[in-house]
Amino acid sequence: MSSKNERHSLSLSIPEPEPMPPLYDPYKSKVHSYEQERSNNRDKIEHLLEDNENEKIIPETEASRKTVMVCDDERDILLMFELELQSKYNVLTADSGKECIQKFIHEKQEGKKIDLILLDYKLGDMPGGDVARKIKQLNGVKIILITAYDLDEQLVEDLKLNGYIVDVIRKPVDLEWLSSKIAQDIGI
């Protein structure tokens, strides 16, 4: 016989979530596995962490280093780019278009210069092209648009001709190549 004060425990079994199905990319008309891409990014991040532990970084003053801002709504990509670039540059990160614009304005008000922005095209809150246009209105900076999608060629040409972006890079990005591209674009 059970008393009023006894609690009955219910055992709920929560099933494991199923892996995400492949995403359909309407811009590219190909199916790709989001989980595979994330796994590849994790491997790259682990490799970069190991490299950074083994490197001897020569201390520089923050003011003497160029500054690169990375804007992407995928945190693992932000971390991967930050780990790759932090030994050579001051790195700022933003995970939305709004945050990118706000950080750009803040840095400008503080008298700090951002030398280059790596900007994802497909952000959660707004297209990268809109962010590039706004940054240009604020006396912009060089912007490299990064995308996993096939963008309309006319859009890309308009962005380049109007000085909103200097280049477009396709994901996945080879980090060593990106590092040399950044050095070339900001004149180191």
Side-chain angles (χ1 to χ4, degrees):
M1 184 177 249
S2 64
S3 72
K4 288 182 186 177
N5 294 335
E6 263 187 58
R7 291 190 174 175
H8 295 281
S9 65
L10 292 176
S11 174
L12 294 178
S13 170
I14 300 173
E16 288 291 320
E18 292 183 24
M20 289 182 63
L23 299 174
Y24 174 71
D25 181 347
Y27 298 100
K28 204 169 177 185
S29 300
K30 289 186 179 177
V31 176
H32 67 279
S33 168
Y34 181 76
E35 290 301 318
Q36 180 61 41
E37 187 175 322
R38 289 188 62 89
S39 174
N40 290 343
N41 287 343
R42 279 188 220 102
D43 292 344
K44 289 177 185 176
I45 289 169
E46 287 174 14
H47 175 71
L48 288 170
L49 286 170
E50 289 171 8
D51 286 352
N52 283 346
E53 287 175 5
N54 297 331
E55 271 184 23
K56 288 183 180 176
I57 298 174
I58 299 169
E60 294 181 66
T61 64
E62 189 175 305
S64 70
R65 299 174 84 181
K66 302 276 185 171
T67 299
V68 175
M69 182 187 297
V70 182
C71 180
D72 199 302
D73 57 350
E74 293 187 49
R75 293 194 185 269
D76 56 343
I77 290 177
L78 283 177
L79 179 60
M80 184 175 60
F81 284 174
E82 183 176 20
L83 289 171
E84 174 65 24
L85 301 174
Q86 70 185 358
S87 66
K88 298 176 187 171
Y89 308 102
N90 296 321
V91 180
L92 301 172
T93 60
D95 63 6
S96 69
K98 182 179 178 182
E99 184 183 8
C100 181
I101 294 166
Q102 288 173 339
K103 280 191 176 182
F104 182 81
I105 291 169
H106 175 73
E107 292 296 304
K108 190 172 180 177
Q109 289 172 341
E110 295 288 315
K112 298 177 183 174
K113 180 180 179 191
I114 295 175
D115 299 286
L116 182 82
I117 297 176
L118 298 175
L119 177 62
D120 185 29
Y121 179 75
K122 192 166 175 93
L123 298 167
D125 62 342
M126 66 179 69
D130 292 351
V131 176
R133 286 180 186 92
K134 182 64 177 170
I135 299 272
K136 174 76 172 180
Q137 290 173 356
L138 298 167
N139 254 353
V141 63
K142 290 181 180 178
I143 295 176
I144 297 175
L145 204 59
I146 299 177
T147 183
Y149 303 99
D150 286 327
L151 299 179
D152 179 70
E153 289 181 30
Q154 187 60 48
L155 169 70
V156 171
E157 282 305 309
D158 288 345
L159 290 170
K160 284 182 178 179
L161 287 173
N162 289 304
Y164 299 124
I165 65 170
V166 294
D167 208 349
V168 176
I169 297 174
R170 292 287 307 235
K171 290 180 183 177
V173 177
D174 176 55
L175 295 175
E176 286 182 29
W177 179 85
L178 178 65
S179 191
S180 66
K181 171 79 173 142
I182 291 169
Q184 173 189 349
D185 283 349
I186 61 178
I188 336 184

PDB file of all heavy atoms in Angstrom, residues 35-70:
ATOM      1  N   GLU A  35      26.067  17.314 -41.675  1.00  0.00           N
ATOM      2  CA  GLU A  35      26.863  16.659 -40.641  1.00  0.00           C
ATOM      3  C   GLU A  35      28.288  16.399 -41.119  1.00  0.00           C
ATOM      4  O   GLU A  35      29.240  16.552 -40.362  1.00  0.00           O
ATOM      5  CB  GLU A  35      26.199  15.351 -40.194  1.00  0.00           C
ATOM      6  CG  GLU A  35      24.934  15.560 -39.402  1.00  0.00           C
ATOM      7  CD  GLU A  35      25.155  16.381 -38.137  1.00  0.00           C
ATOM      8  OE1 GLU A  35      26.163  16.171 -37.437  1.00  0.00           O
ATOM      9  OE2 GLU A  35      24.316  17.247 -37.855  1.00  0.00           O
ATOM     10  N   GLN A  36      28.457  16.023 -42.382  1.00  0.00           N
ATOM     11  CA  GLN A  36      29.799  15.781 -42.917  1.00  0.00           C
ATOM     12  C   GLN A  36      30.602  17.076 -42.943  1.00  0.00           C
ATOM     13  O   GLN A  36      31.769  17.098 -42.575  1.00  0.00           O
ATOM     14  CB  GLN A  36      29.713  15.182 -44.343  1.00  0.00           C
ATOM     15  CG  GLN A  36      31.075  14.904 -44.956  1.00  0.00           C
ATOM     16  CD  GLN A  36      31.887  13.907 -44.172  1.00  0.00           C
ATOM     17  OE1 GLN A  36      31.361  12.919 -43.688  1.00  0.00           O
ATOM     18  NE2 GLN A  36      33.174  14.146 -44.026  1.00  0.00           N
ATOM     19  N   GLU A  37      29.961  18.172 -43.330  1.00  0.00           N
ATOM     20  CA  GLU A  37      30.640  19.462 -43.364  1.00  0.00           C
ATOM     21  C   GLU A  37      31.076  19.873 -41.957  1.00  0.00           C
ATOM     22  O   GLU A  37      32.186  20.322 -41.747  1.00  0.00           O
ATOM     23  CB  GLU A  37      29.706  20.516 -43.952  1.00  0.00           C
ATOM     24  CG  GLU A  37      30.362  21.847 -44.179  1.00  0.00           C
ATOM     25  CD  GLU A  37      29.438  22.821 -44.879  1.00  0.00           C
ATOM     26  OE1 GLU A  37      28.676  22.404 -45.768  1.00  0.00           O
ATOM     27  OE2 GLU A  37      29.489  23.999 -44.504  1.00  0.00           O
ATOM     28  N   ARG A  38      30.198  19.686 -40.964  1.00  0.00           N
ATOM     29  CA  ARG A  38      30.542  20.027 -39.584  1.00  0.00           C
ATOM     30  C   ARG A  38      31.683  19.143 -39.072  1.00  0.00           C
ATOM     31  O   ARG A  38      32.574  19.607 -38.380  1.00  0.00           O
ATOM     32  CB  ARG A  38      29.324  19.919 -38.681  1.00  0.00           C
ATOM     33  CG  ARG A  38      28.314  21.026 -38.951  1.00  0.00           C
ATOM     34  CD  ARG A  38      27.206  21.035 -37.943  1.00  0.00           C
ATOM     35  NE  ARG A  38      27.681  21.286 -36.601  1.00  0.00           N
ATOM     36  CZ  ARG A  38      27.829  22.487 -36.049  1.00  0.00           C
ATOM     37  NH1 ARG A  38      27.539  23.553 -36.736  1.00  0.00           N
ATOM     38  NH2 ARG A  38      28.244  22.604 -34.813  1.00  0.00           N
ATOM     39  N   SER A  39      31.671  17.872 -39.439  1.00  0.00           N
ATOM     40  CA  SER A  39      32.729  16.960 -39.030  1.00  0.00           C
ATOM     41  C   SER A  39      34.066  17.399 -39.628  1.00  0.00           C
ATOM     42  O   SER A  39      35.087  17.407 -38.942  1.00  0.00           O
ATOM     43  CB  SER A  39      32.391  15.539 -39.475  1.00  0.00           C
ATOM     44  OG  SER A  39      33.459  14.680 -39.197  1.00  0.00           O
ATOM     45  N   ASN A  40      34.059  17.775 -40.893  1.00  0.00           N
ATOM     46  CA  ASN A  40      35.281  18.272 -41.536  1.00  0.00           C
ATOM     47  C   ASN A  40      35.789  19.526 -40.840  1.00  0.00           C
ATOM     48  O   ASN A  40      36.988  19.695 -40.636  1.00  0.00           O
ATOM     49  CB  ASN A  40      35.033  18.564 -43.018  1.00  0.00           C
ATOM     50  CG  ASN A  40      34.824  17.307 -43.826  1.00  0.00           C
ATOM     51  OD1 ASN A  40      35.161  16.210 -43.392  1.00  0.00           O
ATOM     52  ND2 ASN A  40      34.254  17.454 -45.005  1.00  0.00           N
ATOM     53  N   ASN A  41      34.865  20.426 -40.468  1.00  0.00           N
ATOM     54  CA  ASN A  41      35.264  21.647 -39.770  1.00  0.00           C
ATOM     55  C   ASN A  41      35.868  21.328 -38.416  1.00  0.00           C
ATOM     56  O   ASN A  41      36.850  21.936 -38.013  1.00  0.00           O
ATOM     57  CB  ASN A  41      34.076  22.596 -39.604  1.00  0.00           C
ATOM     58  CG  ASN A  41      33.672  23.255 -40.899  1.00  0.00           C
ATOM     59  OD1 ASN A  41      34.438  23.276 -41.865  1.00  0.00           O
ATOM     60  ND2 ASN A  41      32.469  23.786 -40.941  1.00  0.00           N
ATOM     61  N   ARG A  42      35.286  20.349 -37.686  1.00  0.00           N
ATOM     62  CA  ARG A  42      35.835  19.961 -36.384  1.00  0.00           C
ATOM     63  C   ARG A  42      37.263  19.440 -36.542  1.00  0.00           C
ATOM     64  O   ARG A  42      38.137  19.760 -35.739  1.00  0.00           O
ATOM     65  CB  ARG A  42      34.952  18.904 -35.725  1.00  0.00           C
ATOM     66  CG  ARG A  42      33.756  19.496 -35.039  1.00  0.00           C
ATOM     67  CD  ARG A  42      33.005  18.432 -34.213  1.00  0.00           C
ATOM     68  NE  ARG A  42      31.602  18.673 -34.391  1.00  0.00           N
ATOM     69  CZ  ARG A  42      30.786  17.989 -35.178  1.00  0.00           C
ATOM     70  NH1 ARG A  42      31.215  16.962 -35.841  1.00  0.00           N
ATOM     71  NH2 ARG A  42      29.529  18.314 -35.286  1.00  0.00           N
ATOM     72  N   ASP A  43      37.501  18.630 -37.584  1.00  0.00           N
ATOM     73  CA  ASP A  43      38.847  18.113 -37.836  1.00  0.00           C
ATOM     74  C   ASP A  43      39.826  19.259 -38.091  1.00  0.00           C
ATOM     75  O   ASP A  43      40.946  19.263 -37.587  1.00  0.00           O
ATOM     76  CB  ASP A  43      38.844  17.156 -39.031  1.00  0.00           C
ATOM     77  CG  ASP A  43      38.093  15.857 -38.748  1.00  0.00           C
ATOM     78  OD1 ASP A  43      37.835  15.551 -37.557  1.00  0.00           O
ATOM     79  OD2 ASP A  43      37.744  15.149 -39.717  1.00  0.00           O
ATOM     80  N   LYS A  44      39.415  20.245 -38.885  1.00  0.00           N
ATOM     81  CA  LYS A  44      40.280  21.391 -39.178  1.00  0.00           C
ATOM     82  C   LYS A  44      40.565  22.186 -37.915  1.00  0.00           C
ATOM     83  O   LYS A  44      41.689  22.637 -37.694  1.00  0.00           O
ATOM     84  CB  LYS A  44      39.628  22.303 -40.225  1.00  0.00           C
ATOM     85  CG  LYS A  44      39.607  21.706 -41.614  1.00  0.00           C
ATOM     86  CD  LYS A  44      38.889  22.633 -42.579  1.00  0.00           C
ATOM     87  CE  LYS A  44      38.756  21.988 -43.945  1.00  0.00           C
ATOM     88  NZ  LYS A  44      37.986  22.830 -44.876  1.00  0.00           N
ATOM     89  N   ILE A  45      39.563  22.360 -37.064  1.00  0.00           N
ATOM     90  CA  ILE A  45      39.740  23.105 -35.823  1.00  0.00           C
ATOM     91  C   ILE A  45      40.730  22.388 -34.913  1.00  0.00           C
ATOM     92  O   ILE A  45      41.634  23.001 -34.352  1.00  0.00           O
ATOM     93  CB  ILE A  45      38.392  23.331 -35.117  1.00  0.00           C
ATOM     94  CG1 ILE A  45      37.546  24.346 -35.902  1.00  0.00           C
ATOM     95  CG2 ILE A  45      38.593  23.801 -33.674  1.00  0.00           C
ATOM     96  CD1 ILE A  45      36.107  24.447 -35.447  1.00  0.00           C
ATOM     97  N   GLU A  46      40.592  21.064 -34.774  1.00  0.00           N
ATOM     98  CA  GLU A  46      41.528  20.303 -33.944  1.00  0.00           C
ATOM     99  C   GLU A  46      42.950  20.429 -34.464  1.00  0.00           C
ATOM    100  O   GLU A  46      43.894  20.619 -33.694  1.00  0.00           O
ATOM    101  CB  GLU A  46      41.105  18.837 -33.893  1.00  0.00           C
ATOM    102  CG  GLU A  46      39.874  18.605 -33.048  1.00  0.00           C
ATOM    103  CD  GLU A  46      39.369  17.165 -33.115  1.00  0.00           C
ATOM    104  OE1 GLU A  46      40.106  16.286 -33.597  1.00  0.00           O
ATOM    105  OE2 GLU A  46      38.229  16.948 -32.681  1.00  0.00           O
ATOM    106  N   HIS A  47      43.118  20.376 -35.788  1.00  0.00           N
ATOM    107  CA  HIS A  47      44.439  20.516 -36.402  1.00  0.00           C
ATOM    108  C   HIS A  47      45.014  21.904 -36.107  1.00  0.00           C
ATOM    109  O   HIS A  47      46.188  22.039 -35.755  1.00  0.00           O
ATOM    110  CB  HIS A  47      44.343  20.276 -37.912  1.00  0.00           C
ATOM    111  CG  HIS A  47      45.614  20.511 -38.648  1.00  0.00           C
ATOM    112  ND1 HIS A  47      46.694  19.675 -38.537  1.00  0.00           N
ATOM    113  CD2 HIS A  47      45.987  21.507 -39.489  1.00  0.00           C
ATOM    114  CE1 HIS A  47      47.677  20.136 -39.282  1.00  0.00           C
ATOM    115  NE2 HIS A  47      47.270  21.249 -39.874  1.00  0.00           N
ATOM    116  N   LEU A  48      44.192  22.946 -36.228  1.00  0.00           N
ATOM    117  CA  LEU A  48      44.653  24.305 -35.955  1.00  0.00           C
ATOM    118  C   LEU A  48      45.029  24.485 -34.493  1.00  0.00           C
ATOM    119  O   LEU A  48      46.009  25.161 -34.175  1.00  0.00           O
ATOM    120  CB  LEU A  48      43.578  25.321 -36.345  1.00  0.00           C
ATOM    121  CG  LEU A  48      43.366  25.502 -37.843  1.00  0.00           C
ATOM    122  CD1 LEU A  48      42.116  26.330 -38.098  1.00  0.00           C
ATOM    123  CD2 LEU A  48      44.573  26.146 -38.481  1.00  0.00           C
ATOM    124  N   LEU A  49      44.261  23.886 -33.589  1.00  0.00           N
ATOM    125  CA  LEU A  49      44.594  23.975 -32.168  1.00  0.00           C
ATOM    126  C   LEU A  49      45.952  23.338 -31.895  1.00  0.00           C
ATOM    127  O   LEU A  49      46.763  23.881 -31.155  1.00  0.00           O
ATOM    128  CB  LEU A  49      43.509  23.313 -31.316  1.00  0.00           C
ATOM    129  CG  LEU A  49      42.199  24.088 -31.182  1.00  0.00           C
ATOM    130  CD1 LEU A  49      41.142  23.206 -30.518  1.00  0.00           C
ATOM    131  CD2 LEU A  49      42.402  25.368 -30.399  1.00  0.00           C
ATOM    132  N   GLU A  50      46.216  22.192 -32.513  1.00  0.00           N
ATOM    133  CA  GLU A  50      47.509  21.532 -32.347  1.00  0.00           C
ATOM    134  C   GLU A  50      48.628  22.406 -32.901  1.00  0.00           C
ATOM    135  O   GLU A  50      49.673  22.566 -32.275  1.00  0.00           O
ATOM    136  CB  GLU A  50      47.508  20.180 -33.061  1.00  0.00           C
ATOM    137  CG  GLU A  50      46.652  19.138 -32.389  1.00  0.00           C
ATOM    138  CD  GLU A  50      46.488  17.879 -33.227  1.00  0.00           C
ATOM    139  OE1 GLU A  50      47.169  17.740 -34.270  1.00  0.00           O
ATOM    140  OE2 GLU A  50      45.668  17.036 -32.843  1.00  0.00           O
ATOM    141  N   ASP A  51      48.427  22.986 -34.097  1.00  0.00           N
ATOM    142  CA  ASP A  51      49.435  23.849 -34.702  1.00  0.00           C
ATOM    143  C   ASP A  51      49.728  25.056 -33.825  1.00  0.00           C
ATOM    144  O   ASP A  51      50.875  25.446 -33.651  1.00  0.00           O
ATOM    145  CB  ASP A  51      48.998  24.338 -36.090  1.00  0.00           C
ATOM    146  CG  ASP A  51      49.082  23.246 -37.145  1.00  0.00           C
ATOM    147  OD1 ASP A  51      49.621  22.158 -36.837  1.00  0.00           O
ATOM    148  OD2 ASP A  51      48.593  23.475 -38.265  1.00  0.00           O
ATOM    149  N   ASN A  52      48.683  25.678 -33.264  1.00  0.00           N
ATOM    150  CA  ASN A  52      48.872  26.863 -32.432  1.00  0.00           C
ATOM    151  C   ASN A  52      49.626  26.532 -31.154  1.00  0.00           C
ATOM    152  O   ASN A  52      50.373  27.353 -30.647  1.00  0.00           O
ATOM    153  CB  ASN A  52      47.530  27.526 -32.106  1.00  0.00           C
ATOM    154  CG  ASN A  52      46.991  28.311 -33.275  1.00  0.00           C
ATOM    155  OD1 ASN A  52      47.707  28.587 -34.233  1.00  0.00           O
ATOM    156  ND2 ASN A  52      45.723  28.674 -33.210  1.00  0.00           N
ATOM    157  N   GLU A  53      49.438  25.331 -30.605  1.00  0.00           N
ATOM    158  CA  GLU A  53      50.170  24.934 -29.410  1.00  0.00           C
ATOM    159  C   GLU A  53      51.654  24.758 -29.720  1.00  0.00           C
ATOM    160  O   GLU A  53      52.509  25.034 -28.884  1.00  0.00           O
ATOM    161  CB  GLU A  53      49.603  23.634 -28.847  1.00  0.00           C
ATOM    162  CG  GLU A  53      48.265  23.806 -28.180  1.00  0.00           C
ATOM    163  CD  GLU A  53      47.666  22.482 -27.735  1.00  0.00           C
ATOM    164  OE1 GLU A  53      48.332  21.433 -27.851  1.00  0.00           O
ATOM    165  OE2 GLU A  53      46.505  22.498 -27.277  1.00  0.00           O
ATOM    166  N   ASN A  54      51.977  24.306 -30.931  1.00  0.00           N
ATOM    167  CA  ASN A  54      53.355  24.035 -31.299  1.00  0.00           C
ATOM    168  C   ASN A  54      54.092  25.266 -31.822  1.00  0.00           C
ATOM    169  O   ASN A  54      55.305  25.275 -31.896  1.00  0.00           O
ATOM    170  CB  ASN A  54      53.415  22.930 -32.355  1.00  0.00           C
ATOM    171  CG  ASN A  54      52.881  21.613 -31.835  1.00  0.00           C
ATOM    172  OD1 ASN A  54      52.969  21.336 -30.641  1.00  0.00           O
ATOM    173  ND2 ASN A  54      52.306  20.812 -32.710  1.00  0.00           N
ATOM    174  N   GLU A  55      53.361  26.324 -32.216  1.00  0.00           N
ATOM    175  CA  GLU A  55      53.978  27.522 -32.781  1.00  0.00           C
ATOM    176  C   GLU A  55      54.489  28.434 -31.683  1.00  0.00           C
ATOM    177  O   GLU A  55      53.886  28.573 -30.642  1.00  0.00           O
ATOM    178  CB  GLU A  55      52.940  28.317 -33.583  1.00  0.00           C
ATOM    179  CG  GLU A  55      52.835  27.922 -35.002  1.00  0.00           C
ATOM    180  CD  GLU A  55      51.864  28.825 -35.759  1.00  0.00           C
ATOM    181  OE1 GLU A  55      51.614  29.966 -35.330  1.00  0.00           O
ATOM    182  OE2 GLU A  55      51.368  28.367 -36.776  1.00  0.00           O
ATOM    183  N   LYS A  56      55.584  29.085 -31.990  1.00  0.00           N
ATOM    184  CA  LYS A  56      56.044  30.154 -31.116  1.00  0.00           C
ATOM    185  C   LYS A  56      55.569  31.444 -31.763  1.00  0.00           C
ATOM    186  O   LYS A  56      55.980  31.773 -32.875  1.00  0.00           O
ATOM    187  CB  LYS A  56      57.566  30.161 -31.003  1.00  0.00           C
ATOM    188  CG  LYS A  56      58.096  29.011 -30.202  1.00  0.00           C
ATOM    189  CD  LYS A  56      59.579  29.114 -30.052  1.00  0.00           C
ATOM    190  CE  LYS A  56      60.099  27.947 -29.241  1.00  0.00           C
ATOM    191  NZ  LYS A  56      61.548  27.951 -29.143  1.00  0.00           N
ATOM    192  N   ILE A  57      54.696  32.142 -31.068  1.00  0.00           N
ATOM    193  CA  ILE A  57      54.155  33.371 -31.614  1.00  0.00           C
ATOM    194  C   ILE A  57      54.967  34.533 -31.070  1.00  0.00           C
ATOM    195  O   ILE A  57      55.127  34.697 -29.864  1.00  0.00           O
ATOM    196  CB  ILE A  57      52.666  33.519 -31.246  1.00  0.00           C
ATOM    197  CG1 ILE A  57      51.886  32.346 -31.862  1.00  0.00           C
ATOM    198  CG2 ILE A  57      52.114  34.848 -31.696  1.00  0.00           C
ATOM    199  CD1 ILE A  57      50.426  32.303 -31.459  1.00  0.00           C
ATOM    200  N   ILE A  58      55.487  35.337 -31.988  1.00  0.00           N
ATOM    201  CA  ILE A  58      56.270  36.495 -31.599  1.00  0.00           C
ATOM    202  C   ILE A  58      55.302  37.577 -31.134  1.00  0.00           C
ATOM    203  O   ILE A  58      54.406  37.959 -31.875  1.00  0.00           O
ATOM    204  CB  ILE A  58      57.115  37.014 -32.786  1.00  0.00           C
ATOM    205  CG1 ILE A  58      58.076  35.912 -33.238  1.00  0.00           C
ATOM    206  CG2 ILE A  58      57.853  38.286 -32.406  1.00  0.00           C
ATOM    207  CD1 ILE A  58      58.759  36.207 -34.541  1.00  0.00           C
ATOM    208  N   PRO A  59      55.461  38.041 -29.905  1.00  0.00           N
ATOM    209  CA  PRO A  59      54.522  39.040 -29.421  1.00  0.00           C
ATOM    210  C   PRO A  59      54.612  40.337 -30.220  1.00  0.00           C
ATOM    211  O   PRO A  59      55.688  40.808 -30.528  1.00  0.00           O
ATOM    212  CB  PRO A  59      54.944  39.278 -27.967  1.00  0.00           C
ATOM    213  CG  PRO A  59      56.074  38.377 -27.690  1.00  0.00           C
ATOM    214  CD  PRO A  59      56.459  37.667 -28.942  1.00  0.00           C
ATOM    215  N   GLU A  60      53.487  40.863 -30.590  1.00  0.00           N
ATOM    216  CA  GLU A  60      53.399  42.140 -31.268  1.00  0.00           C
ATOM    217  C   GLU A  60      52.406  42.978 -30.497  1.00  0.00           C
ATOM    218  O   GLU A  60      51.511  42.456 -29.860  1.00  0.00           O
ATOM    219  CB  GLU A  60      52.860  41.965 -32.693  1.00  0.00           C
ATOM    220  CG  GLU A  60      53.755  41.191 -33.620  1.00  0.00           C
ATOM    221  CD  GLU A  60      53.130  41.092 -35.000  1.00  0.00           C
ATOM    222  OE1 GLU A  60      52.989  42.134 -35.660  1.00  0.00           O
ATOM    223  OE2 GLU A  60      52.786  39.981 -35.402  1.00  0.00           O
ATOM    224  N   THR A  61      52.549  44.266 -30.623  1.00  0.00           N
ATOM    225  CA  THR A  61      51.542  45.096 -29.990  1.00  0.00           C
ATOM    226  C   THR A  61      50.289  45.036 -30.844  1.00  0.00           C
ATOM    227  O   THR A  61      50.356  44.888 -32.062  1.00  0.00           O
ATOM    228  CB  THR A  61      52.013  46.552 -29.863  1.00  0.00           C
ATOM    229  OG1 THR A  61      52.195  47.093 -31.163  1.00  0.00           O
ATOM    230  CG2 THR A  61      53.298  46.651 -29.055  1.00  0.00           C
ATOM    231  N   GLU A  62      49.160  45.153 -30.190  1.00  0.00           N
ATOM    232  CA  GLU A  62      47.885  45.091 -30.895  1.00  0.00           C
ATOM    233  C   GLU A  62      47.806  46.166 -31.967  1.00  0.00           C
ATOM    234  O   GLU A  62      47.277  45.948 -33.053  1.00  0.00           O
ATOM    235  CB  GLU A  62      46.741  45.250 -29.890  1.00  0.00           C
ATOM    236  CG  GLU A  62      45.392  44.998 -30.483  1.00  0.00           C
ATOM    237  CD  GLU A  62      44.296  45.030 -29.444  1.00  0.00           C
ATOM    238  OE1 GLU A  62      44.395  44.292 -28.461  1.00  0.00           O
ATOM    239  OE2 GLU A  62      43.350  45.806 -29.647  1.00  0.00           O
ATOM    240  N   ALA A  63      48.362  47.329 -31.693  1.00  0.00           N
ATOM    241  CA  ALA A  63      48.284  48.448 -32.634  1.00  0.00           C
ATOM    242  C   ALA A  63      49.106  48.205 -33.894  1.00  0.00           C
ATOM    243  O   ALA A  63      48.793  48.747 -34.950  1.00  0.00           O
ATOM    244  CB  ALA A  63      48.729  49.724 -31.946  1.00  0.00           C
ATOM    245  N   SER A  64      50.162  47.390 -33.804  1.00  0.00           N
ATOM    246  CA  SER A  64      51.013  47.179 -34.976  1.00  0.00           C
ATOM    247  C   SER A  64      50.493  46.092 -35.917  1.00  0.00           C
ATOM    248  O   SER A  64      50.991  45.957 -37.016  1.00  0.00           O
ATOM    249  CB  SER A  64      52.434  46.824 -34.532  1.00  0.00           C
ATOM    250  OG  SER A  64      52.455  45.530 -33.944  1.00  0.00           O
ATOM    251  N   ARG A  65      49.502  45.361 -35.497  1.00  0.00           N
ATOM    252  CA  ARG A  65      48.955  44.281 -36.307  1.00  0.00           C
ATOM    253  C   ARG A  65      47.743  44.765 -37.098  1.00  0.00           C
ATOM    254  O   ARG A  65      46.981  45.594 -36.642  1.00  0.00           O
ATOM    255  CB  ARG A  65      48.532  43.119 -35.419  1.00  0.00           C
ATOM    256  CG  ARG A  65      49.685  42.526 -34.640  1.00  0.00           C
ATOM    257  CD  ARG A  65      49.217  41.493 -33.696  1.00  0.00           C
ATOM    258  NE  ARG A  65      49.108  40.231 -34.422  1.00  0.00           N
ATOM    259  CZ  ARG A  65      48.706  39.109 -33.875  1.00  0.00           C
ATOM    260  NH1 ARG A  65      48.349  39.077 -32.619  1.00  0.00           N
ATOM    261  NH2 ARG A  65      48.642  38.013 -34.577  1.00  0.00           N
ATOM    262  N   LYS A  66      47.561  44.191 -38.263  1.00  0.00           N
ATOM    263  CA  LYS A  66      46.363  44.459 -39.059  1.00  0.00           C
ATOM    264  C   LYS A  66      45.185  43.730 -38.403  1.00  0.00           C
ATOM    265  O   LYS A  66      45.362  42.751 -37.698  1.00  0.00           O
ATOM    266  CB  LYS A  66      46.536  43.955 -40.494  1.00  0.00           C
ATOM    267  CG  LYS A  66      47.715  44.544 -41.232  1.00  0.00           C
ATOM    268  CD  LYS A  66      47.358  45.850 -41.836  1.00  0.00           C
ATOM    269  CE  LYS A  66      48.526  46.349 -42.682  1.00  0.00           C
ATOM    270  NZ  LYS A  66      48.186  47.502 -43.451  1.00  0.00           N
ATOM    271  N   THR A  67      43.990  44.231 -38.671  1.00  0.00           N
ATOM    272  CA  THR A  67      42.791  43.641 -38.076  1.00  0.00           C
ATOM    273  C   THR A  67      41.891  43.074 -39.160  1.00  0.00           C
ATOM    274  O   THR A  67      41.597  43.745 -40.152  1.00  0.00           O
ATOM    275  CB  THR A  67      42.020  44.694 -37.255  1.00  0.00           C
ATOM    276  OG1 THR A  67      42.876  45.156 -36.203  1.00  0.00           O
ATOM    277  CG2 THR A  67      40.756  44.104 -36.652  1.00  0.00           C
ATOM    278  N   VAL A  68      41.459  41.843 -38.947  1.00  0.00           N
ATOM    279  CA  VAL A  68      40.531  41.155 -39.841  1.00  0.00           C
ATOM    280  C   VAL A  68      39.280  40.823 -39.044  1.00  0.00           C
ATOM    281  O   VAL A  68      39.378  40.280 -37.945  1.00  0.00           O
ATOM    282  CB  VAL A  68      41.157  39.860 -40.417  1.00  0.00           C
ATOM    283  CG1 VAL A  68      40.149  39.087 -41.248  1.00  0.00           C
ATOM    284  CG2 VAL A  68      42.407  40.171 -41.228  1.00  0.00           C
ATOM    285  N   MET A  69      38.120  41.153 -39.609  1.00  0.00           N
ATOM    286  CA  MET A  69      36.861  40.754 -38.996  1.00  0.00           C
ATOM    287  C   MET A  69      36.285  39.607 -39.811  1.00  0.00           C
ATOM    288  O   MET A  69      36.295  39.650 -41.043  1.00  0.00           O
ATOM    289  CB  MET A  69      35.844  41.896 -38.950  1.00  0.00           C
ATOM    290  CG  MET A  69      34.546  41.481 -38.248  1.00  0.00           C
ATOM    291  SD  MET A  69      33.208  42.699 -38.307  1.00  0.00           S
ATOM    292  CE  MET A  69      33.897  44.045 -37.423  1.00  0.00           C
ATOM    293  N   VAL A  70      35.797  38.593 -39.120  1.00  0.00           N
ATOM    294  CA  VAL A  70      35.169  37.447 -39.759  1.00  0.00           C
ATOM    295  C   VAL A  70      33.705  37.439 -39.358  1.00  0.00           C
ATOM    296  O   VAL A  70      33.385  37.475 -38.171  1.00  0.00           O
ATOM    297  CB  VAL A  70      35.835  36.116 -39.341  1.00  0.00           C
ATOM    298  CG1 VAL A  70      35.186  34.946 -40.067  1.00  0.00           C
ATOM    299  CG2 VAL A  70      37.335  36.151 -39.586  1.00  0.00           C
TER     300      VAL A  70
END
